[in-house]
Amino acid sequence: MIWGFSALNSEQVKAINELEDKMGITLLAFSDANLKYADLSAEDLEEVHRLEKELNLSLVAVKV
């Protein structure tokens, strides 16, 4: 199972924003998704790692 950012409706966004404002924090909403990890070669995986370092973020390769 892979978790990804949730697709939120306007009411959900409003409720989250209100709690964020009240608490002075940022909340990220995640939901499970029906995705599978991509089968990467060692070379492809190296390319992904290189880009992660270059962009200073984490990437997840999935098969859609």
Side-chain angles (χ1 to χ4, degrees):
M1 179 183 326
I2 297 175
W3 292 82
F5 288 111
S6 302
L8 303 173
N9 63 38
S10 60
E11 291 177 11
Q12 293 170 314
V13 171
K14 182 181 178 204
I16 291 169
N17 285 338
E18 288 173 358
L19 185 57
E20 288 176 325
D21 291 343
K22 178 181 177 183
M23 299 178 72
I25 60 170
T26 299
L27 296 169
L28 303 176
F30 291 92
S31 299
D32 63 332
N34 190 18
L35 298 171
K36 296 180 182 179
Y37 291 105
D39 187 20
L40 300 178
S41 68
E43 182 179 302
D44 290 342
L45 187 57
E46 207 171 294
E47 285 288 319
V48 171
H49 286 156
R50 181 196 57 75
L51 188 57
E52 286 179 322
K53 288 178 184 176
E54 180 182 320
L55 300 177
N56 195 33
L57 50 76
S58 296
L59 299 170
V60 178
V62 297
K63 180 79 173 173
V64 292

Short mmCIF file of all heavy atoms in Angstrom, two decimals:
data_model
loop_
_atom_site.label_atom_id
_atom_site.label_comp_id
_atom_site.label_asym_id
_atom_site.label_seq_id
_atom_site.Cartn_x
_atom_site.Cartn_y
_atom_site.Cartn_z
N MET A 1 0.84 -1.18 0.00
CA MET A 1 0.00 0.00 0.00
C MET A 1 0.89 1.24 0.00
O MET A 1 1.88 1.30 0.69
CB MET A 1 -0.90 -0.01 1.24
CG MET A 1 -1.78 1.20 1.33
SD MET A 1 -2.81 1.32 2.80
CE MET A 1 -3.23 -0.32 3.20
N ILE A 2 0.50 2.20 -0.81
CA ILE A 2 1.23 3.46 -0.90
C ILE A 2 0.32 4.58 -0.44
O ILE A 2 -0.86 4.60 -0.75
CB ILE A 2 1.69 3.72 -2.34
CG1 ILE A 2 2.67 2.64 -2.78
CG2 ILE A 2 2.33 5.09 -2.47
CD1 ILE A 2 3.09 2.75 -4.22
N TRP A 3 0.87 5.51 0.29
CA TRP A 3 0.11 6.67 0.76
C TRP A 3 0.48 7.87 -0.09
O TRP A 3 1.64 8.08 -0.42
CB TRP A 3 0.43 6.93 2.23
CG TRP A 3 -0.09 5.85 3.10
CD1 TRP A 3 0.51 4.65 3.35
CD2 TRP A 3 -1.32 5.84 3.80
NE1 TRP A 3 -0.28 3.89 4.17
CE2 TRP A 3 -1.41 4.60 4.48
CE3 TRP A 3 -2.36 6.75 3.95
CZ2 TRP A 3 -2.50 4.25 5.27
CZ3 TRP A 3 -3.44 6.40 4.74
CH2 TRP A 3 -3.50 5.17 5.39
N GLY A 4 -0.52 8.66 -0.44
CA GLY A 4 -0.31 9.87 -1.22
C GLY A 4 -1.14 11.00 -0.66
O GLY A 4 -1.99 10.80 0.21
N PHE A 5 -0.90 12.20 -1.17
CA PHE A 5 -1.68 13.34 -0.72
C PHE A 5 -3.15 13.11 -1.04
O PHE A 5 -3.50 12.61 -2.11
CB PHE A 5 -1.20 14.63 -1.39
CG PHE A 5 0.12 15.10 -0.87
CD1 PHE A 5 1.25 15.07 -1.66
CD2 PHE A 5 0.23 15.57 0.42
CE1 PHE A 5 2.47 15.50 -1.18
CE2 PHE A 5 1.45 16.00 0.92
CZ PHE A 5 2.56 15.97 0.11
N SER A 6 -4.01 13.48 -0.12
CA SER A 6 -5.45 13.29 -0.28
C SER A 6 -6.04 14.31 -1.23
O SER A 6 -5.60 15.45 -1.30
CB SER A 6 -6.15 13.44 1.08
OG SER A 6 -5.65 12.52 2.02
N ALA A 7 -7.07 13.88 -1.96
CA ALA A 7 -7.87 14.78 -2.78
C ALA A 7 -8.99 15.28 -1.87
O ALA A 7 -9.86 14.52 -1.47
CB ALA A 7 -8.44 14.04 -3.99
N LEU A 8 -8.93 16.55 -1.51
CA LEU A 8 -9.85 17.11 -0.52
C LEU A 8 -10.90 17.99 -1.18
O LEU A 8 -10.61 18.70 -2.14
CB LEU A 8 -9.08 17.94 0.50
CG LEU A 8 -7.95 17.22 1.25
CD1 LEU A 8 -7.17 18.21 2.08
CD2 LEU A 8 -8.50 16.10 2.11
N ASN A 9 -12.11 17.96 -0.60
CA ASN A 9 -13.13 18.90 -1.06
C ASN A 9 -12.99 20.20 -0.27
O ASN A 9 -12.21 20.28 0.69
CB ASN A 9 -14.54 18.29 -0.95
CG ASN A 9 -14.94 17.98 0.49
OD1 ASN A 9 -14.63 18.73 1.42
ND2 ASN A 9 -15.63 16.87 0.68
N SER A 10 -13.72 21.20 -0.65
CA SER A 10 -13.57 22.53 -0.02
C SER A 10 -13.91 22.52 1.46
O SER A 10 -13.29 23.23 2.25
CB SER A 10 -14.40 23.57 -0.77
OG SER A 10 -15.77 23.22 -0.74
N GLU A 11 -14.87 21.71 1.87
CA GLU A 11 -15.22 21.64 3.30
C GLU A 11 -14.09 21.03 4.11
O GLU A 11 -13.79 21.48 5.23
CB GLU A 11 -16.50 20.83 3.49
CG GLU A 11 -17.74 21.52 2.96
CD GLU A 11 -18.98 20.65 3.11
OE1 GLU A 11 -18.93 19.61 3.80
OE2 GLU A 11 -20.01 21.03 2.52
N GLN A 12 -13.45 20.01 3.56
CA GLN A 12 -12.33 19.38 4.26
C GLN A 12 -11.15 20.34 4.36
O GLN A 12 -10.51 20.43 5.41
CB GLN A 12 -11.90 18.11 3.52
CG GLN A 12 -12.94 17.00 3.59
CD GLN A 12 -12.62 15.85 2.66
OE1 GLN A 12 -12.27 16.07 1.50
NE2 GLN A 12 -12.73 14.62 3.16
N VAL A 13 -10.86 21.06 3.28
CA VAL A 13 -9.78 22.04 3.29
C VAL A 13 -10.06 23.12 4.33
O VAL A 13 -9.17 23.49 5.10
CB VAL A 13 -9.58 22.67 1.89
CG1 VAL A 13 -8.61 23.84 1.95
CG2 VAL A 13 -9.10 21.62 0.89
N LYS A 14 -11.29 23.59 4.39
CA LYS A 14 -11.66 24.62 5.36
C LYS A 14 -11.45 24.12 6.79
O LYS A 14 -10.89 24.83 7.63
CB LYS A 14 -13.11 25.05 5.15
CG LYS A 14 -13.54 26.14 6.10
CD LYS A 14 -15.00 26.53 5.88
CE LYS A 14 -15.35 27.60 6.90
NZ LYS A 14 -16.77 27.67 7.18
N ALA A 15 -11.90 22.90 7.08
CA ALA A 15 -11.74 22.34 8.43
C ALA A 15 -10.27 22.21 8.79
O ALA A 15 -9.87 22.53 9.92
CB ALA A 15 -12.46 21.00 8.51
N ILE A 16 -9.47 21.75 7.85
CA ILE A 16 -8.03 21.60 8.11
C ILE A 16 -7.40 22.97 8.32
O ILE A 16 -6.60 23.16 9.26
CB ILE A 16 -7.35 20.83 6.96
CG1 ILE A 16 -7.82 19.37 6.98
CG2 ILE A 16 -5.83 20.91 7.08
CD1 ILE A 16 -7.42 18.58 5.75
N ASN A 17 -7.73 23.94 7.47
CA ASN A 17 -7.18 25.29 7.61
C ASN A 17 -7.53 25.91 8.95
O ASN A 17 -6.70 26.58 9.57
CB ASN A 17 -7.66 26.20 6.48
CG ASN A 17 -6.98 25.90 5.16
OD1 ASN A 17 -5.90 25.34 5.12
ND2 ASN A 17 -7.62 26.28 4.07
N GLU A 18 -8.75 25.69 9.40
CA GLU A 18 -9.16 26.24 10.70
C GLU A 18 -8.33 25.66 11.83
O GLU A 18 -7.90 26.38 12.73
CB GLU A 18 -10.65 25.99 10.93
CG GLU A 18 -11.54 26.85 10.05
CD GLU A 18 -13.02 26.49 10.15
OE1 GLU A 18 -13.39 25.53 10.87
OE2 GLU A 18 -13.83 27.17 9.48
N LEU A 19 -8.10 24.35 11.79
CA LEU A 19 -7.28 23.73 12.84
C LEU A 19 -5.83 24.18 12.74
O LEU A 19 -5.18 24.43 13.76
CB LEU A 19 -7.38 22.20 12.76
CG LEU A 19 -6.67 21.43 13.87
CD1 LEU A 19 -7.19 21.85 15.25
CD2 LEU A 19 -6.83 19.94 13.66
N GLU A 20 -5.31 24.32 11.53
CA GLU A 20 -3.95 24.82 11.35
C GLU A 20 -3.81 26.21 11.95
O GLU A 20 -2.84 26.49 12.67
CB GLU A 20 -3.60 24.88 9.86
CG GLU A 20 -3.39 23.55 9.21
CD GLU A 20 -3.14 23.65 7.72
OE1 GLU A 20 -3.74 24.54 7.06
OE2 GLU A 20 -2.36 22.84 7.20
N ASP A 21 -4.77 27.09 11.66
CA ASP A 21 -4.74 28.46 12.19
C ASP A 21 -4.82 28.46 13.71
O ASP A 21 -4.09 29.19 14.39
CB ASP A 21 -5.86 29.30 11.61
CG ASP A 21 -5.69 29.60 10.13
OD1 ASP A 21 -4.56 29.44 9.61
OD2 ASP A 21 -6.69 29.98 9.49
N LYS A 22 -5.69 27.63 14.25
CA LYS A 22 -5.88 27.55 15.70
C LYS A 22 -4.60 27.08 16.40
O LYS A 22 -4.22 27.61 17.44
CB LYS A 22 -7.02 26.60 16.03
CG LYS A 22 -7.27 26.41 17.50
CD LYS A 22 -8.42 25.43 17.74
CE LYS A 22 -8.61 25.20 19.22
NZ LYS A 22 -9.68 24.21 19.47
N MET A 23 -3.91 26.10 15.79
CA MET A 23 -2.75 25.50 16.43
C MET A 23 -1.43 26.11 15.97
O MET A 23 -0.39 25.82 16.57
CB MET A 23 -2.75 23.99 16.15
CG MET A 23 -3.97 23.28 16.71
SD MET A 23 -3.98 21.51 16.33
CE MET A 23 -2.69 20.95 17.41
N GLY A 24 -1.45 26.91 14.90
CA GLY A 24 -0.21 27.49 14.40
C GLY A 24 0.71 26.46 13.77
O GLY A 24 1.93 26.54 13.92
N ILE A 25 0.11 25.49 13.10
CA ILE A 25 0.89 24.41 12.47
C ILE A 25 0.43 24.22 11.03
O ILE A 25 -0.54 24.83 10.59
CB ILE A 25 0.71 23.07 13.23
CG1 ILE A 25 -0.78 22.67 13.23
CG2 ILE A 25 1.26 23.16 14.64
CD1 ILE A 25 -1.05 21.27 13.74
N THR A 26 1.13 23.37 10.30
CA THR A 26 0.72 22.95 8.96
C THR A 26 0.42 21.46 9.00
O THR A 26 1.22 20.68 9.54
CB THR A 26 1.83 23.23 7.93
OG1 THR A 26 2.08 24.64 7.91
CG2 THR A 26 1.43 22.77 6.54
N LEU A 27 -0.71 21.07 8.47
CA LEU A 27 -1.11 19.66 8.41
C LEU A 27 -1.05 19.19 6.96
O LEU A 27 -1.42 19.93 6.05
CB LEU A 27 -2.53 19.48 8.94
CG LEU A 27 -2.75 19.81 10.42
CD1 LEU A 27 -4.24 19.85 10.74
CD2 LEU A 27 -2.05 18.78 11.29
N LEU A 28 -0.58 17.98 6.75
CA LEU A 28 -0.56 17.36 5.43
C LEU A 28 -1.55 16.19 5.47
O LEU A 28 -1.50 15.37 6.39
CB LEU A 28 0.83 16.84 5.08
CG LEU A 28 1.96 17.86 5.09
CD1 LEU A 28 3.29 17.17 4.81
CD2 LEU A 28 1.71 18.95 4.07
N ALA A 29 -2.44 16.11 4.49
CA ALA A 29 -3.44 15.05 4.45
C ALA A 29 -3.00 13.94 3.50
O ALA A 29 -2.70 14.20 2.34
CB ALA A 29 -4.79 15.62 4.00
N PHE A 30 -2.96 12.70 4.00
CA PHE A 30 -2.58 11.53 3.22
C PHE A 30 -3.70 10.51 3.23
O PHE A 30 -4.42 10.37 4.21
CB PHE A 30 -1.33 10.86 3.81
CG PHE A 30 -0.08 11.67 3.67
CD1 PHE A 30 0.32 12.54 4.66
CD2 PHE A 30 0.70 11.57 2.54
CE1 PHE A 30 1.48 13.28 4.54
CE2 PHE A 30 1.86 12.30 2.39
CZ PHE A 30 2.24 13.16 3.40
N SER A 31 -3.82 9.79 2.15
CA SER A 31 -4.77 8.69 2.03
C SER A 31 -4.06 7.53 1.34
O SER A 31 -3.11 7.74 0.59
CB SER A 31 -5.98 9.09 1.18
OG SER A 31 -6.67 10.17 1.76
N ASP A 32 -4.56 6.31 1.61
CA ASP A 32 -3.96 5.18 0.90
C ASP A 32 -4.45 5.18 -0.54
O ASP A 32 -5.54 5.64 -0.85
CB ASP A 32 -4.28 3.85 1.59
CG ASP A 32 -5.76 3.53 1.62
OD1 ASP A 32 -6.57 4.47 1.62
OD2 ASP A 32 -6.10 2.35 1.64
N ALA A 33 -3.61 4.75 -1.42
CA ALA A 33 -3.92 4.76 -2.85
C ALA A 33 -3.73 3.36 -3.42
O ALA A 33 -2.88 2.60 -2.94
CB ALA A 33 -3.02 5.75 -3.58
N ASN A 34 -4.48 3.03 -4.40
CA ASN A 34 -4.38 1.72 -5.03
C ASN A 34 -3.30 1.76 -6.11
O ASN A 34 -3.58 1.66 -7.30
CB ASN A 34 -5.73 1.31 -5.62
CG ASN A 34 -5.75 -0.13 -6.06
OD1 ASN A 34 -4.91 -0.92 -5.64
ND2 ASN A 34 -6.66 -0.48 -6.92
N LEU A 35 -2.07 1.92 -5.68
CA LEU A 35 -0.92 2.00 -6.57
C LEU A 35 0.09 0.93 -6.20
O LEU A 35 0.10 0.44 -5.07
CB LEU A 35 -0.24 3.37 -6.46
CG LEU A 35 -1.05 4.60 -6.84
CD1 LEU A 35 -0.30 5.86 -6.45
CD2 LEU A 35 -1.34 4.59 -8.33
N LYS A 36 0.95 0.61 -7.13
CA LYS A 36 2.04 -0.34 -6.87
C LYS A 36 3.35 0.35 -7.18
O LYS A 36 3.44 1.19 -8.07
CB LYS A 36 1.88 -1.57 -7.76
CG LYS A 36 0.63 -2.35 -7.46
CD LYS A 36 0.50 -3.55 -8.35
CE LYS A 36 -0.82 -4.24 -8.02
NZ LYS A 36 -1.07 -5.40 -8.82
N TYR A 37 4.37 -0.01 -6.41
CA TYR A 37 5.70 0.53 -6.67
C TYR A 37 6.16 0.11 -8.06
O TYR A 37 5.90 -1.01 -8.50
CB TYR A 37 6.70 0.04 -5.63
CG TYR A 37 6.50 0.61 -4.25
CD1 TYR A 37 5.95 -0.15 -3.24
CD2 TYR A 37 6.83 1.93 -3.98
CE1 TYR A 37 5.75 0.37 -1.98
CE2 TYR A 37 6.64 2.46 -2.72
CZ TYR A 37 6.09 1.67 -1.72
OH TYR A 37 5.89 2.20 -0.48
N ALA A 38 6.86 1.00 -8.75
CA ALA A 38 7.41 0.69 -10.05
C ALA A 38 8.63 -0.22 -9.88
O ALA A 38 9.38 -0.08 -8.91
CB ALA A 38 7.80 1.98 -10.78
N ASP A 39 8.82 -1.11 -10.81
CA ASP A 39 9.98 -2.00 -10.81
C ASP A 39 11.10 -1.30 -11.57
O ASP A 39 11.09 -1.25 -12.80
CB ASP A 39 9.61 -3.33 -11.46
CG ASP A 39 10.72 -4.35 -11.35
OD1 ASP A 39 11.59 -4.20 -10.48
OD2 ASP A 39 10.70 -5.30 -12.15
N LEU A 40 12.06 -0.74 -10.84
CA LEU A 40 13.13 0.04 -11.45
C LEU A 40 14.41 -0.76 -11.55
O LEU A 40 14.74 -1.54 -10.66
CB LEU A 40 13.41 1.30 -10.63
CG LEU A 40 12.26 2.29 -10.44
CD1 LEU A 40 12.71 3.44 -9.56
CD2 LEU A 40 11.75 2.78 -11.77
N SER A 41 15.13 -0.53 -12.61
CA SER A 41 16.47 -1.11 -12.74
C SER A 41 17.40 -0.37 -11.78
O SER A 41 17.08 0.72 -11.28
CB SER A 41 16.98 -0.96 -14.17
OG SER A 41 17.22 0.41 -14.46
N ALA A 42 18.56 -0.92 -11.55
CA ALA A 42 19.55 -0.27 -10.69
C ALA A 42 19.93 1.10 -11.25
O ALA A 42 20.07 2.07 -10.50
CB ALA A 42 20.78 -1.15 -10.53
N GLU A 43 20.03 1.18 -12.57
CA GLU A 43 20.36 2.45 -13.22
C GLU A 43 19.24 3.48 -13.03
O GLU A 43 19.50 4.65 -12.73
CB GLU A 43 20.61 2.22 -14.71
CG GLU A 43 21.02 3.46 -15.48
CD GLU A 43 21.26 3.15 -16.95
OE1 GLU A 43 22.12 2.28 -17.23
OE2 GLU A 43 20.59 3.77 -17.79
N ASP A 44 18.01 3.05 -13.19
CA ASP A 44 16.87 3.96 -12.99
C ASP A 44 16.81 4.44 -11.55
O ASP A 44 16.56 5.62 -11.28
CB ASP A 44 15.56 3.28 -13.37
CG ASP A 44 15.41 3.05 -14.85
OD1 ASP A 44 16.13 3.70 -15.64
OD2 ASP A 44 14.57 2.21 -15.22
N LEU A 45 17.02 3.52 -10.62
CA LEU A 45 17.00 3.88 -9.21
C LEU A 45 18.07 4.91 -8.88
O LEU A 45 17.85 5.86 -8.13
CB LEU A 45 17.16 2.63 -8.35
CG LEU A 45 16.99 2.80 -6.84
CD1 LEU A 45 15.65 3.40 -6.49
CD2 LEU A 45 17.18 1.46 -6.15
N GLU A 46 19.23 4.73 -9.48
CA GLU A 46 20.33 5.69 -9.29
C GLU A 46 19.92 7.08 -9.81
O GLU A 46 20.23 8.09 -9.19
CB GLU A 46 21.56 5.19 -10.03
CG GLU A 46 22.86 5.68 -9.44
CD GLU A 46 24.04 4.96 -10.07
OE1 GLU A 46 24.17 3.74 -9.87
OE2 GLU A 46 24.82 5.65 -10.75
N GLU A 47 19.24 7.11 -10.95
CA GLU A 47 18.76 8.38 -11.51
C GLU A 47 17.77 9.06 -10.57
O GLU A 47 17.81 10.28 -10.37
CB GLU A 47 18.10 8.15 -12.87
CG GLU A 47 19.07 7.88 -13.98
CD GLU A 47 19.85 9.12 -14.38
OE1 GLU A 47 19.27 10.22 -14.46
OE2 GLU A 47 21.06 8.99 -14.60
N VAL A 48 16.87 8.27 -9.99
CA VAL A 48 15.90 8.83 -9.05
C VAL A 48 16.62 9.40 -7.83
O VAL A 48 16.33 10.50 -7.38
CB VAL A 48 14.85 7.77 -8.64
CG1 VAL A 48 13.96 8.28 -7.50
CG2 VAL A 48 13.99 7.37 -9.84
N HIS A 49 17.56 8.66 -7.28
CA HIS A 49 18.33 9.13 -6.12
C HIS A 49 19.09 10.42 -6.44
O HIS A 49 19.16 11.34 -5.62
CB HIS A 49 19.31 8.06 -5.64
CG HIS A 49 18.66 6.94 -4.92
ND1 HIS A 49 19.22 5.70 -4.81
CD2 HIS A 49 17.48 6.85 -4.25
CE1 HIS A 49 18.43 4.91 -4.12
NE2 HIS A 49 17.36 5.59 -3.78
N ARG A 50 19.66 10.48 -7.65
CA ARG A 50 20.38 11.68 -8.06
C ARG A 50 19.45 12.88 -8.07
O ARG A 50 19.77 13.95 -7.55
CB ARG A 50 21.00 11.48 -9.45
CG ARG A 50 21.79 12.68 -9.97
CD ARG A 50 22.06 12.63 -11.46
NE ARG A 50 20.85 12.54 -12.27
CZ ARG A 50 20.00 13.55 -12.50
NH1 ARG A 50 20.20 14.73 -11.97
NH2 ARG A 50 18.93 13.38 -13.26
N LEU A 51 18.26 12.71 -8.63
CA LEU A 51 17.31 13.81 -8.70
C LEU A 51 16.80 14.20 -7.31
O LEU A 51 16.63 15.38 -7.01
CB LEU A 51 16.14 13.44 -9.61
CG LEU A 51 15.16 14.57 -9.92
CD1 LEU A 51 15.87 15.78 -10.56
CD2 LEU A 51 14.04 14.07 -10.81
N GLU A 52 16.60 13.22 -6.44
CA GLU A 52 16.20 13.52 -5.06
C GLU A 52 17.23 14.43 -4.39
O GLU A 52 16.87 15.42 -3.74
CB GLU A 52 16.06 12.24 -4.25
CG GLU A 52 14.83 11.44 -4.56
CD GLU A 52 14.74 10.16 -3.74
OE1 GLU A 52 15.79 9.51 -3.50
OE2 GLU A 52 13.63 9.81 -3.36
N LYS A 53 18.49 14.09 -4.54
CA LYS A 53 19.55 14.89 -3.94
C LYS A 53 19.61 16.29 -4.56
O LYS A 53 19.76 17.29 -3.86
CB LYS A 53 20.90 14.20 -4.09
CG LYS A 53 21.05 12.99 -3.21
CD LYS A 53 22.38 12.30 -3.42
CE LYS A 53 22.45 11.03 -2.58
NZ LYS A 53 23.68 10.29 -2.81
N GLU A 54 19.47 16.35 -5.88
CA GLU A 54 19.51 17.62 -6.59
C GLU A 54 18.37 18.54 -6.16
O GLU A 54 18.56 19.74 -5.97
CB GLU A 54 19.42 17.37 -8.09
CG GLU A 54 19.45 18.61 -8.94
CD GLU A 54 19.31 18.29 -10.42
OE1 GLU A 54 19.92 17.29 -10.87
OE2 GLU A 54 18.59 19.01 -11.11
N LEU A 55 17.18 17.97 -5.99
CA LEU A 55 15.99 18.77 -5.66
C LEU A 55 15.73 18.86 -4.16
O LEU A 55 14.83 19.57 -3.72
CB LEU A 55 14.76 18.19 -6.36
CG LEU A 55 14.83 18.14 -7.88
CD1 LEU A 55 13.57 17.47 -8.44
CD2 LEU A 55 15.02 19.52 -8.49
N ASN A 56 16.49 18.09 -3.37
CA ASN A 56 16.34 18.05 -1.92
C ASN A 56 14.91 17.66 -1.51
O ASN A 56 14.24 18.36 -0.76
CB ASN A 56 16.73 19.39 -1.28
CG ASN A 56 16.92 19.27 0.21
OD1 ASN A 56 17.35 18.22 0.69
ND2 ASN A 56 16.58 20.31 0.94
N LEU A 57 14.46 16.52 -2.05
CA LEU A 57 13.14 16.00 -1.72
C LEU A 57 13.13 14.49 -1.91
O LEU A 57 14.11 13.91 -2.33
CB LEU A 57 12.05 16.67 -2.58
CG LEU A 57 12.26 16.72 -4.11
CD1 LEU A 57 11.99 15.41 -4.77
CD2 LEU A 57 11.37 17.80 -4.67
N SER A 58 12.02 13.86 -1.56
CA SER A 58 11.87 12.42 -1.72
C SER A 58 10.91 12.13 -2.84
O SER A 58 9.88 12.78 -2.97
CB SER A 58 11.35 11.78 -0.43
OG SER A 58 12.29 11.95 0.60
N LEU A 59 11.23 11.14 -3.65
CA LEU A 59 10.37 10.72 -4.76
C LEU A 59 9.98 9.27 -4.57
O LEU A 59 10.75 8.47 -4.03
CB LEU A 59 11.12 10.86 -6.10
CG LEU A 59 11.56 12.28 -6.47
CD1 LEU A 59 12.50 12.25 -7.67
CD2 LEU A 59 10.35 13.15 -6.75
N VAL A 60 8.78 8.91 -5.01
CA VAL A 60 8.31 7.53 -4.97
C VAL A 60 7.89 7.16 -6.39
O VAL A 60 7.06 7.84 -6.99
CB VAL A 60 7.11 7.37 -4.01
CG1 VAL A 60 6.60 5.95 -4.03
CG2 VAL A 60 7.49 7.81 -2.60
N ALA A 61 8.48 6.11 -6.93
CA ALA A 61 8.14 5.65 -8.28
C ALA A 61 7.00 4.64 -8.19
O ALA A 61 7.10 3.65 -7.47
CB ALA A 61 9.37 5.00 -8.93
N VAL A 62 5.92 4.91 -8.91
CA VAL A 62 4.75 4.04 -8.89
C VAL A 62 4.38 3.59 -10.28
O VAL A 62 4.73 4.23 -11.28
CB VAL A 62 3.52 4.73 -8.23
CG1 VAL A 62 3.81 5.05 -6.78
CG2 VAL A 62 3.13 5.97 -8.99
N LYS A 63 3.66 2.50 -10.37
CA LYS A 63 3.14 1.98 -11.62
C LYS A 63 1.65 2.30 -11.65
O LYS A 63 0.91 1.89 -10.78
CB LYS A 63 3.36 0.47 -11.67
CG LYS A 63 2.89 -0.19 -12.91
CD LYS A 63 3.86 0.02 -14.01
CE LYS A 63 3.41 -0.82 -15.21
NZ LYS A 63 4.21 -0.54 -16.38
N VAL A 64 1.25 3.10 -12.64
CA VAL A 64 -0.17 3.49 -12.73
C VAL A 64 -0.84 2.82 -13.92
O VAL A 64 -0.21 2.35 -14.82
CB VAL A 64 -0.35 5.01 -12.85
CG1 VAL A 64 0.05 5.68 -11.57
CG2 VAL A 64 0.42 5.58 -14.01
#
